Amino acid sequence: MRGEPMARNEFSGTAHTVIQAHTIHGGIHFNDGHRPFTGPRLTGHLLLAGCSMAVGASLLLWTRDGGDAPALPGPTLGAVGIVLATFGAWLVVHAIVRHRRSRILWGDRSGPELNAAAERLASAVREQLGREERLRRLQDPAPIPIRWDTAPQDLIDHWENVTAVTAVTAVTGATGVSGGGPIDLRGRFEEIADVLDRVPSGRLVVLGPAGTGKSVLMVRLALDRLARRAPGERIPVILPLATWRPQAEPDLWEWAAELLGTRYASLATSTASARDIARELLRTGRLLPVLDGFDELPAAVRPQALRTLNGTLDRAARIVLTSREDEYRAAAREARVLTGAAAVSVRPLTVADLTAYLSRTAPPPHGADGRPQR
């Protein structure tokens, strides 16, 4: 590959010949893992190291005090003890090195590199969706008159789960979870972000027939939230579910990270690929996934997809899902509705809605000379 020098080239995965270039500035980073080396992974390594060193030390003390075994003489036991103790020490050093490398790569959850990546993503999403809104002419001359009602109760989780909040007692410091009753979620196009804010769980399912404007509504939701977003708040990202294959890709967030890494390649840094950055933004709760088009998944895998989604969400997760109503209901009967999620049903556009809207898109009835126009 010749021509202009490349500013950076990165690759995550395994392959044969990857890059053939005349000049590369900034180096090449090969990522050898999909997750930061922290938490349970680090704990597991250190636990194994501790056990190995403990057993090795015990054998050395046993042989030093003259201990022996029928099958293994003292010198052999001593040698085994030395090997185990050395292996344990090596595991400790290896774990520390990998942990430090992981921290350099990812930083802390509030690390400047990850925060900067989040702000770059917010700008890129805002630019992309703003361009899409202009191409669709969503504001020319006014938003489509989309309205919705609170969905039927069989499509909503228990209201106690939807409205549950954690309360802390001031005197004892004890925590408890309390939930309320149903929420009125009726609204119209320009109120979608406000409606989501009414849901304490931050989880919403938007249902409606084909052609009622669900995808357009998600563009409006993302733009409104970006417009009012303060630094550090979740960034809405629209992910078309039609490209997800739950059977082949059971890890929903790995699929999402791959999609975001491809779409927003500018997230990449000199130490991490765009996919890895997107994965970490998802893992640390910096994103609001908007999963558009649940009904576009094959019918046979929708229940599995719903189970996978419910099994993936932790308590703090926020998410928006769109679907045709009948397809979502059928999947929920085999699995269950989205845990902790409220739901709204978009009303079909009426003839009166379309007549009023289309009449506003036509030229005014009279020209400058006062004569009627077509």
Side-chain angles (χ1 to χ4, degrees):
M1 181 172 59
R2 298 182 182 275
E4 292 297 321
M6 298 176 61
R8 181 173 60 250
N9 199 312
E10 294 148 337
F11 172 76
S12 291
T14 303
H16 296 287
T17 302
V18 178
I19 299 171
Q20 193 173 25
H22 180 268
T23 303
I24 297 179
H25 297 292
I28 303 174
H29 170 70
F30 292 92
N31 183 22
D32 60 357
H34 293 296
R35 296 170 295 164
F37 192 74
T38 57
R41 301 181 73 199
L42 176 62
T43 302
H45 272 67
L46 292 178
L47 184 61
L48 177 61
C51 291
S52 179
M53 287 191 293
V55 173
S58 299
L59 290 177
L60 289 174
L61 290 174
W62 175 268
T63 55
R64 188 194 67 178
D65 295 337
D68 207 344
L72 294 174
T76 303
L77 284 176
V80 172
I82 293 173
V83 170
L84 288 175
T86 304
F87 177 67
W90 178 84
L91 277 178
V92 170
V93 173
H94 179 67
I96 292 173
V97 170
R98 290 193 65 185
H99 178 61
R100 290 186 63 185
R101 180 180 181 275
S102 178
R103 287 180 63 87
I104 292 172
L105 176 62
W106 298 114
D108 297 326
R109 290 193 174 189
S110 59
E113 182 179 8
L114 205 55
N115 287 340
E119 297 310 312
R120 290 200 308 275
L121 178 61
S123 297
V125 172
R126 187 181 299 109
E127 181 181 350
Q128 176 211 344
L129 294 181
R131 185 167 55 250
E132 183 173 345
E133 183 183 50
R134 291 190 296 272
L135 288 173
R136 293 191 182 196
R137 302 177 67 181
L138 301 184
Q139 303 291 338
D140 181 16
I144 297 173
I146 298 174
R147 293 185 292 272
W148 59 83
D149 298 309
T150 305
Q153 186 56 52
D154 66 319
L155 300 174
I156 301 173
D157 196 11
H158 301 288
W159 282 110
E160 293 82 359
N161 296 336
V162 176
T163 60
V165 294
T166 303
V168 180
T169 304
V171 177
T172 64
T175 61
V177 177
S178 60
I183 304 171
D184 184 3
L185 298 175
R186 289 176 294 179
R188 52 192 302 162
F189 184 81
E190 63 272 15
E191 299 171 343
I192 182 61
D194 296 327
V195 168
L196 179 59
D197 288 339
R198 292 181 212 164
V199 182
S201 67
R203 301 179 187 180
L204 182 67
V205 180
V206 178
L207 303 167
T212 50
K214 298 184 297 295
S215 295
V216 168
L217 195 59
M218 293 304 98
V219 173
R220 184 71 262 157
L221 169 64
L223 285 172
D224 285 350
R225 290 191 70 91
L226 286 168
R228 66 178 67 173
R229 173 182 173 270
E233 291 185 357
R234 295 174 188 264
I235 302 163
V237 287
I238 299 177
L239 304 168
L241 272 180
T243 63
W244 181 37
R245 294 293 177 263
Q247 294 173 316
E249 301 173 287
D251 190 332
L252 173 66
W253 305 128
E254 186 64 28
W255 163 81
E258 183 74 36
L259 183 61
L260 290 171
T262 302
R263 183 182 296 172
Y264 303 106
S266 61
L267 285 177
T269 67
S270 59
T271 57
S273 68
R275 183 185 67 176
D276 291 337
I277 291 289
R279 184 187 299 112
E280 187 67 358
L281 291 173
L282 285 163
R283 187 186 71 83
T284 56
R286 286 173 162 89
L287 305 185
L288 171 65
V290 179
L291 305 179
D292 189 26
F294 176 79
D295 54 281
E296 295 181 18
L297 291 170
V301 305
R302 287 179 203 140
Q304 177 189 345
L306 206 46
R307 293 189 196 98
T308 299
L309 183 55
N310 281 328
T312 301
L313 301 177
D314 58 29
R315 181 178 298 180
R318 303 289 184 265
I319 196 167
V320 179
L321 180 74
T322 75
S323 177
R324 297 185 189 183
E325 189 166 307
D326 291 341
E327 284 79 350
Y328 181 73
R329 177 180 278 111
R333 283 174 181 162
E334 290 191 43
R336 64 161 294 167
V337 295
L338 184 63
T339 304
V344 297
S345 293
V346 178
R347 301 180 200 168
L349 295 173
T350 65
V351 173
D353 289 332
L354 294 173
T355 301
Y357 180 77
L358 292 175
S359 66
R360 297 180 65 183
T361 67
H366 298 286
D369 56 2
R371 291 184 299 177
Q373 292 183 347
R374 292 183 58 186

